[in-house]
PDB file of all heavy atoms in Angstrom:
ATOM      1  N   ASN L  33      -2.368  19.548  10.734  1.00 90.00           N
ATOM      2  CA  ASN L  33      -3.671  19.659  11.488  1.00 90.00           C
ATOM      3  C   ASN L  33      -3.638  20.802  12.427  1.00 90.00           C
ATOM      4  O   ASN L  33      -2.543  21.373  12.646  1.00 90.00           O
ATOM      5  CB  ASN L  33      -3.901  18.371  12.365  1.00 90.00           C
ATOM      6  CG  ASN L  33      -5.264  18.321  12.921  1.00 90.00           C
ATOM      7  OD1 ASN L  33      -6.199  19.036  12.467  1.00 90.00           O
ATOM      8  ND2 ASN L  33      -5.531  17.457  13.891  1.00 90.00           N
ATOM      9  N   ARG L  35      -5.606  22.597  15.883  1.00 90.00           N
ATOM     10  CA  ARG L  35      -6.503  22.504  16.907  1.00 90.00           C
ATOM     11  C   ARG L  35      -6.554  23.899  17.507  1.00 90.00           C
ATOM     12  O   ARG L  35      -5.508  24.423  18.077  1.00 90.00           O
ATOM     13  CB  ARG L  35      -6.165  21.438  17.987  1.00 90.00           C
ATOM     14  CG  ARG L  35      -6.237  20.105  17.395  1.00 90.00           C
ATOM     15  CD  ARG L  35      -6.030  19.008  18.545  1.00 90.00           C
ATOM     16  NE  ARG L  35      -4.634  18.862  18.717  1.00 90.00           N
ATOM     17  CZ  ARG L  35      -3.866  17.832  18.129  1.00 90.00           C
ATOM     18  NH1 ARG L  35      -4.494  17.048  17.241  1.00 90.00           N
ATOM     19  NH2 ARG L  35      -2.605  17.710  18.277  1.00 90.00           N
ATOM     20  N   ARG L  89       3.759  18.459  27.408  1.00 89.00           N
ATOM     21  CA  ARG L  89       2.427  18.475  26.791  1.00 89.00           C
ATOM     22  C   ARG L  89       2.476  18.399  25.314  1.00 89.00           C
ATOM     23  O   ARG L  89       1.401  18.183  24.627  1.00 89.00           O
ATOM     24  CB  ARG L  89       1.660  19.731  27.253  1.00 89.00           C
ATOM     25  CG  ARG L  89       1.372  19.785  28.725  1.00 89.00           C
ATOM     26  CD  ARG L  89       0.899  21.226  29.126  1.00 89.00           C
ATOM     27  NE  ARG L  89       1.890  22.225  28.840  1.00 89.00           N
ATOM     28  CZ  ARG L  89       1.761  23.503  29.261  1.00 89.00           C
ATOM     29  NH1 ARG L  89       0.678  23.862  29.810  1.00 89.00           N
ATOM     30  NH2 ARG L  89       2.751  24.383  29.021  1.00 89.00           N
ATOM     31  N   GLU L  95       8.158  21.815  21.249  1.00 94.00           N
ATOM     32  CA  GLU L  95       7.147  22.526  20.488  1.00 94.00           C
ATOM     33  C   GLU L  95       7.896  23.894  20.166  1.00 94.00           C
ATOM     34  O   GLU L  95       8.938  24.323  20.699  1.00 94.00           O
ATOM     35  CB  GLU L  95       5.897  22.712  21.266  1.00 94.00           C
ATOM     36  CG  GLU L  95       6.009  23.464  22.506  1.00 94.00           C
ATOM     37  CD  GLU L  95       4.723  23.594  23.337  1.00 94.00           C
ATOM     38  OE1 GLU L  95       3.901  22.639  23.159  1.00 94.00           O
ATOM     39  OE2 GLU L  95       4.570  24.549  24.070  1.00 94.00           O
ATOM     40  N   LYS L 114      -9.232  13.794   8.594  1.00 80.00           N
ATOM     41  CA  LYS L 114      -8.762  13.191   9.793  1.00 80.00           C
ATOM     42  C   LYS L 114      -9.495  11.820  10.107  1.00 80.00           C
ATOM     43  O   LYS L 114      -8.880  10.986  10.650  1.00 80.00           O
ATOM     44  CB  LYS L 114      -8.940  14.026  11.014  1.00 80.00           C
ATOM     45  CG  LYS L 114      -7.996  15.234  11.125  1.00 80.00           C
ATOM     46  CD  LYS L 114      -8.256  16.017  12.318  1.00 80.00           C
ATOM     47  CE  LYS L 114      -9.430  17.001  12.161  1.00 80.00           C
ATOM     48  NZ  LYS L 114      -9.583  17.935  13.216  1.00 80.00           N
ATOM     49  N   HIS L 117     -10.786   6.606   5.576  1.00 84.00           N
ATOM     50  CA  HIS L 117     -11.120   6.689   4.204  1.00 84.00           C
ATOM     51  C   HIS L 117     -11.058   5.212   3.686  1.00 84.00           C
ATOM     52  O   HIS L 117     -10.283   4.404   4.210  1.00 84.00           O
ATOM     53  CB  HIS L 117     -10.249   7.510   3.381  1.00 84.00           C
ATOM     54  CG  HIS L 117     -10.391   8.969   3.759  1.00 84.00           C
ATOM     55  ND1 HIS L 117     -11.336   9.816   3.323  1.00 84.00           N
ATOM     56  CD2 HIS L 117      -9.560   9.741   4.670  1.00 84.00           C
ATOM     57  CE1 HIS L 117     -11.166  10.944   3.809  1.00 84.00           C
ATOM     58  NE2 HIS L 117     -10.118  10.919   4.628  1.00 84.00           N
ATOM     59  N   ARG L 215       5.456  -7.636 -14.484  1.00 90.00           N
ATOM     60  CA  ARG L 215       4.645  -8.834 -14.673  1.00 90.00           C
ATOM     61  C   ARG L 215       3.248  -8.469 -15.112  1.00 90.00           C
ATOM     62  O   ARG L 215       2.543  -7.794 -14.468  1.00 90.00           O
ATOM     63  CB  ARG L 215       4.550  -9.617 -13.326  1.00 90.00           C
ATOM     64  CG  ARG L 215       5.949 -10.057 -12.732  1.00 90.00           C
ATOM     65  CD  ARG L 215       6.536 -11.298 -13.200  1.00 90.00           C
ATOM     66  NE  ARG L 215       8.023 -11.328 -12.878  1.00 90.00           N
ATOM     67  CZ  ARG L 215       8.315 -12.010 -11.793  1.00 90.00           C
ATOM     68  NH1 ARG L 215       7.615 -12.663 -11.078  1.00 90.00           N
ATOM     69  NH2 ARG L 215       9.671 -12.104 -11.476  1.00 90.00           N
ATOM     70  N   ARG L 222      -3.692  -8.572  -2.615  1.00 86.00           N
ATOM     71  CA  ARG L 222      -2.875  -7.667  -1.813  1.00 86.00           C
ATOM     72  C   ARG L 222      -1.338  -7.979  -1.929  1.00 86.00           C
ATOM     73  O   ARG L 222      -0.548  -7.245  -1.374  1.00 86.00           O
ATOM     74  CB  ARG L 222      -3.343  -7.574  -0.408  1.00 86.00           C
ATOM     75  CG  ARG L 222      -3.027  -8.747   0.382  1.00 86.00           C
ATOM     76  CD  ARG L 222      -3.558  -8.818   1.784  1.00 86.00           C
ATOM     77  NE  ARG L 222      -4.910  -9.252   1.922  1.00 86.00           N
ATOM     78  CZ  ARG L 222      -5.635  -9.127   3.082  1.00 86.00           C
ATOM     79  NH1 ARG L 222      -5.138  -8.602   4.071  1.00 86.00           N
ATOM     80  NH2 ARG L 222      -6.895  -9.681   3.063  1.00 86.00           N
TER      81      ARG L 222
ATOM     82  P     C O  11     -17.061  11.207  -1.989  1.00 62.01           P
ATOM     83  OP1   C O  11     -16.422  10.452  -2.879  1.00 62.01           O
ATOM     84  OP2   C O  11     -18.499  11.058  -1.766  1.00 62.01           O
ATOM     85  O5'   C O  11     -16.214  11.037  -0.532  1.00 62.01           O
ATOM     86  C5'   C O  11     -14.875  10.949  -0.538  1.00 62.01           C
ATOM     87  C4'   C O  11     -14.442  10.666   0.897  1.00 62.01           C
ATOM     88  O4'   C O  11     -14.863  11.808   1.653  1.00 62.01           O
ATOM     89  C3'   C O  11     -15.088   9.493   1.551  1.00 62.01           C
ATOM     90  O3'   C O  11     -14.411   8.192   1.277  1.00 62.01           O
ATOM     91  C2'   C O  11     -15.027   9.820   2.998  1.00 62.01           C
ATOM     92  O2'   C O  11     -13.697   9.559   3.524  1.00 62.01           O
ATOM     93  C1'   C O  11     -15.214  11.295   3.001  1.00 62.01           C
ATOM     94  N1    C O  11     -16.697  11.752   3.199  1.00 62.01           N
ATOM     95  C2    C O  11     -17.199  11.633   4.561  1.00 62.01           C
ATOM     96  O2    C O  11     -16.483  11.255   5.426  1.00 62.01           O
ATOM     97  N3    C O  11     -18.457  12.023   4.764  1.00 62.01           N
ATOM     98  C4    C O  11     -19.172  12.352   3.783  1.00 62.01           C
ATOM     99  N4    C O  11     -20.449  12.765   4.016  1.00 62.01           N
ATOM    100  C5    C O  11     -18.761  12.417   2.467  1.00 62.01           C
ATOM    101  C6    C O  11     -17.509  12.112   2.197  1.00 62.01           C
ATOM    102  P     G O  33      -6.254  26.455  28.993  1.00 62.01           P
ATOM    103  OP1   G O  33      -7.688  26.091  29.180  1.00 62.01           O
ATOM    104  OP2   G O  33      -5.384  26.825  30.229  1.00 62.01           O
ATOM    105  O5'   G O  33      -5.458  25.214  28.193  1.00 62.01           O
ATOM    106  C5'   G O  33      -5.967  24.782  27.042  1.00 62.01           C
ATOM    107  C4'   G O  33      -5.058  23.587  26.538  1.00 62.01           C
ATOM    108  O4'   G O  33      -3.865  24.037  26.042  1.00 62.01           O
ATOM    109  C3'   G O  33      -4.632  22.664  27.751  1.00 62.01           C
ATOM    110  O3'   G O  33      -4.616  21.398  27.293  1.00 62.01           O
ATOM    111  C2'   G O  33      -3.339  23.195  28.131  1.00 62.01           C
ATOM    112  O2'   G O  33      -2.600  22.260  28.739  1.00 62.01           O
ATOM    113  C1'   G O  33      -2.730  23.605  26.720  1.00 62.01           C
ATOM    114  N9    G O  33      -1.687  24.537  26.820  1.00 62.01           N
ATOM    115  C8    G O  33      -1.745  25.809  27.452  1.00 62.01           C
ATOM    116  N7    G O  33      -0.592  26.424  27.172  1.00 62.01           N
ATOM    117  C5    G O  33       0.226  25.469  26.546  1.00 62.01           C
ATOM    118  C6    G O  33       1.562  25.726  26.057  1.00 62.01           C
ATOM    119  O6    G O  33       2.322  26.634  26.192  1.00 62.01           O
ATOM    120  N1    G O  33       1.982  24.486  25.382  1.00 62.01           N
ATOM    121  C2    G O  33       1.311  23.301  25.248  1.00 62.01           C
ATOM    122  N2    G O  33       1.832  22.396  24.614  1.00 62.01           N
ATOM    123  N3    G O  33      -0.003  23.273  25.613  1.00 62.01           N
ATOM    124  C4    G O  33      -0.446  24.404  26.285  1.00 62.01           C
ATOM    125  P     U O  34      -5.593  20.199  27.501  1.00 62.01           P
ATOM    126  OP1   U O  34      -6.739  20.804  28.224  1.00 62.01           O
ATOM    127  OP2   U O  34      -4.944  19.031  28.085  1.00 62.01           O
ATOM    128  O5'   U O  34      -6.144  19.816  25.997  1.00 62.01           O
ATOM    129  C5'   U O  34      -7.177  20.604  25.485  1.00 62.01           C
ATOM    130  C4'   U O  34      -6.912  20.653  23.966  1.00 62.01           C
ATOM    131  O4'   U O  34      -5.792  21.503  23.724  1.00 62.01           O
ATOM    132  C3'   U O  34      -6.597  19.293  23.253  1.00 62.01           C
ATOM    133  O3'   U O  34      -7.912  18.657  23.020  1.00 62.01           O
ATOM    134  C2'   U O  34      -5.872  19.839  21.981  1.00 62.01           C
ATOM    135  O2'   U O  34      -6.810  20.146  21.001  1.00 62.01           O
ATOM    136  C1'   U O  34      -5.121  21.010  22.521  1.00 62.01           C
ATOM    137  N1    U O  34      -3.673  20.748  22.853  1.00 62.01           N
ATOM    138  C2    U O  34      -2.818  20.553  21.734  1.00 62.01           C
ATOM    139  O2    U O  34      -3.183  20.641  20.616  1.00 62.01           O
ATOM    140  N3    U O  34      -1.528  20.315  22.114  1.00 62.01           N
ATOM    141  C4    U O  34      -1.057  20.308  23.418  1.00 62.01           C
ATOM    142  O4    U O  34       0.239  20.209  23.524  1.00 62.01           O
ATOM    143  C5    U O  34      -2.035  20.531  24.455  1.00 62.01           C
ATOM    144  C6    U O  34      -3.246  20.769  24.153  1.00 62.01           C
ATOM    145  P     A O  36      -5.175  11.878  19.242  1.00 62.01           P
ATOM    146  OP1   A O  36      -6.208  11.356  20.236  1.00 62.01           O
ATOM    147  OP2   A O  36      -4.042  11.011  18.899  1.00 62.01           O
ATOM    148  O5'   A O  36      -5.984  12.298  17.869  1.00 62.01           O
ATOM    149  C5'   A O  36      -5.280  13.096  17.023  1.00 62.01           C
ATOM    150  C4'   A O  36      -6.240  13.546  15.895  1.00 62.01           C
ATOM    151  O4'   A O  36      -6.788  12.271  15.286  1.00 62.01           O
ATOM    152  C3'   A O  36      -7.444  14.300  16.477  1.00 62.01           C
ATOM    153  O3'   A O  36      -7.856  15.260  15.513  1.00 62.01           O
ATOM    154  C2'   A O  36      -8.512  13.203  16.565  1.00 62.01           C
ATOM    155  O2'   A O  36      -9.846  13.734  16.365  1.00 62.01           O
ATOM    156  C1'   A O  36      -8.160  12.385  15.286  1.00 62.01           C
ATOM    157  N9    A O  36      -8.702  10.967  15.406  1.00 62.01           N
ATOM    158  C8    A O  36      -8.757  10.103  16.471  1.00 62.01           C
ATOM    159  N7    A O  36      -9.241   8.962  16.131  1.00 62.01           N
ATOM    160  C5    A O  36      -9.540   9.020  14.736  1.00 62.01           C
ATOM    161  C6    A O  36     -10.077   8.168  13.963  1.00 62.01           C
ATOM    162  N6    A O  36     -10.517   6.853  14.274  1.00 62.01           N
ATOM    163  N1    A O  36     -10.153   8.413  12.733  1.00 62.01           N
ATOM    164  C2    A O  36      -9.828   9.712  12.292  1.00 62.01           C
ATOM    165  N3    A O  36      -9.283  10.599  13.082  1.00 62.01           N
ATOM    166  C4    A O  36      -9.123  10.312  14.365  1.00 62.01           C
ATOM    167  P     A O  37      -7.408  16.718  15.755  1.00 62.01           P
ATOM    168  OP1   A O  37      -8.166  17.682  14.952  1.00 62.01           O
ATOM    169  OP2   A O  37      -6.023  16.847  15.745  1.00 62.01           O
ATOM    170  O5'   A O  37      -7.953  17.029  17.240  1.00 62.01           O
ATOM    171  C5'   A O  37      -9.303  17.379  17.501  1.00 62.01           C
ATOM    172  C4'   A O  37      -9.565  17.231  19.041  1.00 62.01           C
ATOM    173  O4'   A O  37      -8.844  18.338  19.718  1.00 62.01           O
ATOM    174  C3'   A O  37     -11.055  17.392  19.388  1.00 62.01           C
ATOM    175  O3'   A O  37     -11.783  16.290  19.292  1.00 62.01           O
ATOM    176  C2'   A O  37     -10.761  17.813  20.989  1.00 62.01           C
ATOM    177  O2'   A O  37     -10.485  16.684  21.766  1.00 62.01           O
ATOM    178  C1'   A O  37      -9.594  18.734  20.812  1.00 62.01           C
ATOM    179  N9    A O  37      -9.983  20.087  20.612  1.00 62.01           N
ATOM    180  C8    A O  37      -9.819  20.816  19.387  1.00 62.01           C
ATOM    181  N7    A O  37     -10.281  22.075  19.555  1.00 62.01           N
ATOM    182  C5    A O  37     -10.698  22.076  20.908  1.00 62.01           C
ATOM    183  C6    A O  37     -11.305  23.251  21.689  1.00 62.01           C
ATOM    184  N6    A O  37     -11.510  24.353  21.174  1.00 62.01           N
ATOM    185  N1    A O  37     -11.474  22.971  22.957  1.00 62.01           N
ATOM    186  C2    A O  37     -11.282  21.676  23.461  1.00 62.01           C
ATOM    187  N3    A O  37     -10.775  20.623  22.818  1.00 62.01           N
ATOM    188  C4    A O  37     -10.432  20.987  21.552  1.00 62.01           C
ATOM    189  P     G O  69      -8.057  -4.961  -2.451  1.00 62.01           P
ATOM    190  OP1   G O  69      -7.142  -4.553  -1.497  1.00 62.01           O
ATOM    191  OP2   G O  69      -7.798  -4.977  -3.897  1.00 62.01           O
ATOM    192  O5'   G O  69      -8.604  -6.372  -1.963  1.00 62.01           O
ATOM    193  C5'   G O  69      -8.823  -6.757  -0.691  1.00 62.01           C
ATOM    194  C4'   G O  69      -9.550  -8.009  -0.443  1.00 62.01           C
ATOM    195  O4'   G O  69     -10.686  -7.995  -1.274  1.00 62.01           O
ATOM    196  C3'   G O  69      -8.756  -9.234  -1.016  1.00 62.01           C
ATOM    197  O3'   G O  69      -7.827  -9.799  -0.054  1.00 62.01           O
ATOM    198  C2'   G O  69      -9.899 -10.236  -1.142  1.00 62.01           C
ATOM    199  O2'   G O  69     -10.362 -10.828   0.033  1.00 62.01           O
ATOM    200  C1'   G O  69     -11.078  -9.295  -1.756  1.00 62.01           C
ATOM    201  N9    G O  69     -11.172  -9.309  -3.264  1.00 62.01           N
ATOM    202  C8    G O  69     -10.678  -8.438  -4.142  1.00 62.01           C
ATOM    203  N7    G O  69     -10.980  -8.789  -5.389  1.00 62.01           N
ATOM    204  C5    G O  69     -11.584  -9.989  -5.265  1.00 62.01           C
ATOM    205  C6    G O  69     -12.043 -10.845  -6.258  1.00 62.01           C
ATOM    206  O6    G O  69     -12.035 -10.718  -7.500  1.00 62.01           O
ATOM    207  N1    G O  69     -12.561 -12.056  -5.743  1.00 62.01           N
ATOM    208  C2    G O  69     -12.643 -12.375  -4.392  1.00 62.01           C
ATOM    209  N2    G O  69     -13.138 -13.491  -4.051  1.00 62.01           N
ATOM    210  N3    G O  69     -12.237 -11.535  -3.441  1.00 62.01           N
ATOM    211  C4    G O  69     -11.703 -10.398  -3.953  1.00 62.01           C
ATOM    212  P     G O  70      -6.481 -10.394  -0.595  1.00 62.01           P
ATOM    213  OP1   G O  70      -5.742 -10.800   0.608  1.00 62.01           O
ATOM    214  OP2   G O  70      -5.929  -9.632  -1.582  1.00 62.01           O
ATOM    215  O5'   G O  70      -7.116 -11.780  -1.292  1.00 62.01           O
ATOM    216  C5'   G O  70      -7.403 -12.898  -0.541  1.00 62.01           C
ATOM    217  C4'   G O  70      -8.116 -13.937  -1.183  1.00 62.01           C
ATOM    218  O4'   G O  70      -9.153 -13.384  -2.046  1.00 62.01           O
ATOM    219  C3'   G O  70      -7.358 -14.761  -2.367  1.00 62.01           C
ATOM    220  O3'   G O  70      -6.550 -15.758  -1.763  1.00 62.01           O
ATOM    221  C2'   G O  70      -8.572 -15.383  -3.075  1.00 62.01           C
ATOM    222  O2'   G O  70      -9.119 -16.536  -2.291  1.00 62.01           O
ATOM    223  C1'   G O  70      -9.520 -14.285  -3.111  1.00 62.01           C
ATOM    224  N9    G O  70      -9.441 -13.514  -4.354  1.00 62.01           N
ATOM    225  C8    G O  70      -8.917 -12.313  -4.572  1.00 62.01           C
ATOM    226  N7    G O  70      -8.941 -11.970  -5.931  1.00 62.01           N
ATOM    227  C5    G O  70      -9.554 -13.015  -6.506  1.00 62.01           C
ATOM    228  C6    G O  70      -9.863 -13.252  -7.871  1.00 62.01           C
ATOM    229  O6    G O  70      -9.733 -12.524  -8.781  1.00 62.01           O
ATOM    230  N1    G O  70     -10.418 -14.554  -8.079  1.00 62.01           N
ATOM    231  C2    G O  70     -10.699 -15.409  -7.050  1.00 62.01           C
ATOM    232  N2    G O  70     -11.248 -16.601  -7.488  1.00 62.01           N
ATOM    233  N3    G O  70     -10.381 -15.288  -5.781  1.00 62.01           N
ATOM    234  C4    G O  70      -9.896 -14.063  -5.616  1.00 62.01           C
ATOM    235  P     C O  74       4.741 -20.215 -10.907  1.00 62.01           P
ATOM    236  OP1   C O  74       5.880 -20.527 -11.757  1.00 62.01           O
ATOM    237  OP2   C O  74       4.078 -21.096 -10.129  1.00 62.01           O
ATOM    238  O5'   C O  74       5.133 -18.924  -9.982  1.00 62.01           O
ATOM    239  C5'   C O  74       6.352 -18.333 -10.194  1.00 62.01           C
ATOM    240  C4'   C O  74       6.162 -16.818 -10.126  1.00 62.01           C
ATOM    241  O4'   C O  74       4.706 -16.512  -9.788  1.00 62.01           O
ATOM    242  C3'   C O  74       6.861 -16.095  -8.966  1.00 62.01           C
ATOM    243  O3'   C O  74       8.218 -15.694  -9.520  1.00 62.01           O
ATOM    244  C2'   C O  74       5.994 -14.824  -8.776  1.00 62.01           C
ATOM    245  O2'   C O  74       6.257 -13.854  -9.734  1.00 62.01           O
ATOM    246  C1'   C O  74       4.584 -15.446  -8.930  1.00 62.01           C
ATOM    247  N1    C O  74       3.857 -15.735  -7.723  1.00 62.01           N
ATOM    248  C2    C O  74       3.542 -14.753  -6.840  1.00 62.01           C
ATOM    249  O2    C O  74       3.809 -13.567  -7.141  1.00 62.01           O
ATOM    250  N3    C O  74       2.890 -15.143  -5.702  1.00 62.01           N
ATOM    251  C4    C O  74       2.555 -16.321  -5.433  1.00 62.01           C
ATOM    252  N4    C O  74       1.884 -16.555  -4.388  1.00 62.01           N
ATOM    253  C5    C O  74       2.955 -17.321  -6.314  1.00 62.01           C
ATOM    254  C6    C O  74       3.624 -17.077  -7.364  1.00 62.01           C
ATOM    255  P     A O  75       9.381 -15.819  -8.583  1.00 62.01           P
ATOM    256  OP1   A O  75      10.644 -15.900  -9.227  1.00 62.01           O
ATOM    257  OP2   A O  75       9.218 -16.924  -7.469  1.00 62.01           O
ATOM    258  O5'   A O  75       9.477 -14.399  -7.690  1.00 62.01           O
ATOM    259  C5'   A O  75      10.637 -13.910  -7.054  1.00 62.01           C
ATOM    260  C4'   A O  75      10.341 -13.008  -6.018  1.00 62.01           C
ATOM    261  O4'   A O  75       9.779 -11.792  -6.472  1.00 62.01           O
ATOM    262  C3'   A O  75       9.370 -13.636  -5.028  1.00 62.01           C
ATOM    263  O3'   A O  75       9.972 -14.267  -3.926  1.00 62.01           O
ATOM    264  C2'   A O  75       8.460 -12.442  -4.624  1.00 62.01           C
ATOM    265  O2'   A O  75       8.848 -11.853  -3.366  1.00 62.01           O
ATOM    266  C1'   A O  75       8.673 -11.400  -5.607  1.00 62.01           C
ATOM    267  N9    A O  75       7.504 -11.246  -6.535  1.00 62.01           N
ATOM    268  C8    A O  75       7.126 -12.135  -7.516  1.00 62.01           C
ATOM    269  N7    A O  75       5.983 -11.591  -8.203  1.00 62.01           N
ATOM    270  C5    A O  75       5.695 -10.521  -7.503  1.00 62.01           C
ATOM    271  C6    A O  75       4.659  -9.515  -7.689  1.00 62.01           C
ATOM    272  N6    A O  75       3.762  -9.585  -8.630  1.00 62.01           N
ATOM    273  N1    A O  75       4.628  -8.439  -6.936  1.00 62.01           N
ATOM    274  C2    A O  75       5.608  -8.340  -6.138  1.00 62.01           C
ATOM    275  N3    A O  75       6.686  -9.084  -5.694  1.00 62.01           N
ATOM    276  C4    A O  75       6.642 -10.136  -6.565  1.00 62.01           C
TER     277        A O  75
END
Side-chain angles (χ1 to χ4, degrees):
Chain L
N33 189 17
R35 290 186 279 268
R89 297 167 295 184
E95 64 186 26
K114 289 179 279 187
H117 297 277
R215 304 274 167 94
R222 70 180 89 186

